[in-house]
Amino acid sequence: MTEWRVIQLEEHDAYVNMAIDESIMEHIRDGKANPTIRFYRWKPSAVSIGRFQSMNDEVNISRCRSEGIDCVRRITGGGAVYHDYDGELTYSIIGQEKLFPKSIWESYRMICGSIINGLKRINIEAEFAPINDILLKGKKISGNAQTRREGVLLQHGTIIYKLDVAKMFSVLNVSKEKVSDKMIKNVEERVTSVYSEKGVSFQELYESILYGMTEYREYKFATLSSGESKRSVELAKTYSSEDWNFSR
């Protein structure tokens, strides 16, 4: 059975978080690292946009800068996401494509199944909603995104711990007409959070997702290699550059 490396919960800025994911991908591609699961938070809070989005179109850049919120482009697809330091747990799972189903839909279902399994530990009965969401009673509680490069799959996603819709609207480009009590209520009817449902601590959420992601895998706790760390420092320079973030 394949042995996985698990990197326990860390805190990094947006650029380093994205750089670490890509560095791990490269090292797995080159046969220098085991498949990896890592958990992290965004410090400071951040906005990430999908690979093919426009930062200017999606993000209130001046608001983010005035509040010290990072803005970064991901290498995965999907939409703009506000990553609240206090409001979410983020994970990445990275491994050779052969470890996952060939079908993108099936690979999402398998990986999201581990999250759903973990949520059961805190009595949250969630379900997979194709192609890449997890729902609780019809409300979104987790969003996920994936890419495959040179035989390596990366999926990362968020589990919503607390939800601040007003703050989310303030940093994303939402028209003023839409930022109304009615619109906020509409989002709150479609999105939920672990804390509002069960009131558990962030640590309890983390431990439950850690359990779900590792229950059926051989694993050991470890850290980045020196090579991965060095490469992530280099990649972080790209992720923090205007050339990358404003390339569309």
Side-chain angles (χ1 to χ4, degrees):
M1 185 178 282
T2 301
E3 183 177 82
W4 288 74
R5 170 180 58 173
V6 176
I7 299 176
Q8 298 187 75
L9 186 63
E10 299 179 328
E11 299 175 357
H12 300 287
D13 67 34
Y15 317 115
V16 172
N17 273 327
M18 296 299 91
I20 290 173
D21 278 354
E22 188 170 354
S23 176
I24 292 171
M25 284 189 83
E26 291 179 355
H27 281 73
I28 290 174
R29 175 199 66 196
D30 296 341
K32 296 178 179 177
N34 282 11
T36 299
I37 298 165
R38 63 178 289 253
F39 298 94
Y40 53 98
R41 300 172 84 173
W42 307 67
K43 188 175 185 180
S45 298
V47 174
S48 72
I49 62 169
R51 175 69 182 87
F52 304 106
Q53 291 188 301
S54 161
M55 187 72 76
N56 286 312
D57 289 348
E58 301 295 333
V59 182
N60 185 334
I61 298 161
S62 61
R63 182 65 178 262
C64 288
R65 285 174 176 163
S66 68
E67 297 200 17
I69 293 170
D70 290 339
C71 300
V72 69
R73 179 185 299 280
R74 304 187 304 270
I75 59 172
T76 52
V81 181
Y82 171 54
H83 303 281
D84 187 342
Y85 173 78
D86 294 313
E88 72 172 52
L89 171 67
T90 308
Y91 77 91
S92 296
I93 183 167
I94 310 166
Q96 297 92 341
E97 283 190 71
K98 66 184 181 182
L99 297 174
F100 305 93
K102 286 185 179 180
S103 159
I104 292 174
W105 187 92
E106 287 292 343
S107 62
Y108 270 122
R109 188 166 72 90
M110 183 185 90
I111 296 166
C112 290
S114 296
I115 297 168
I116 291 167
N117 185 41
L119 289 171
K120 289 180 181 178
R121 299 270 294 183
I122 47 176
N123 299 312
I124 290 178
E125 296 290 336
E127 61 183 359
F128 175 57
I131 184 170
N132 57 353
D133 287 338
I134 297 173
L135 304 183
L136 174 63
K137 304 174 200 170
K139 296 182 179 183
K140 182 173 178 176
I141 199 167
S142 171
N144 306 272
Q146 188 182 117
T147 190
R148 301 180 187 215
R149 289 184 171 190
E150 300 176 286
V152 180
L153 180 149
L154 158 68
Q155 180 170 314
H156 48 203
T158 64
I159 300 95
I160 302 169
Y161 178 62
K162 287 185 177 178
L163 184 63
D164 187 341
V165 179
K167 185 62 174 288
M168 179 179 72
F169 278 164
S170 76
V171 297
L172 300 180
N173 272 342
V174 180
S175 66
K176 290 183 180 178
E177 293 75 26
K178 289 185 176 181
V179 184
S180 62
D181 290 343
K182 182 179 179 182
M183 183 68 177
I184 290 173
K185 189 172 188 299
N186 181 260
V187 172
E188 290 174 342
E189 288 172 352
R190 293 184 289 111
V191 183
T192 189
S193 69
V194 169
Y195 188 79
S196 65
E197 294 289 339
K198 293 297 176 182
V200 300
S201 69
F202 189 91
Q203 183 66 23
E204 287 174 295
L205 168 63
Y206 164 59
E207 290 174 1
S208 72
I209 302 302
L210 171 62
Y211 173 86
M213 295 293 271
T214 57
E215 183 181 15
Y216 299 109
R217 295 182 171 98
E218 292 288 335
Y219 72 95
K220 67 178 181 181
F221 294 117
T223 57
L224 293 179
S225 68
S226 59
E228 287 170 315
S229 296
K230 182 179 179 181
R231 178 61 175 147
S232 67
V233 171
E234 295 171 358
L235 287 166
K237 294 174 184 176
T238 298
Y239 278 106
S240 62
S241 71
E242 294 209 351
D243 284 348
W244 167 253
N245 288 315
F246 293 89
S247 58
R248 287 179 178 266

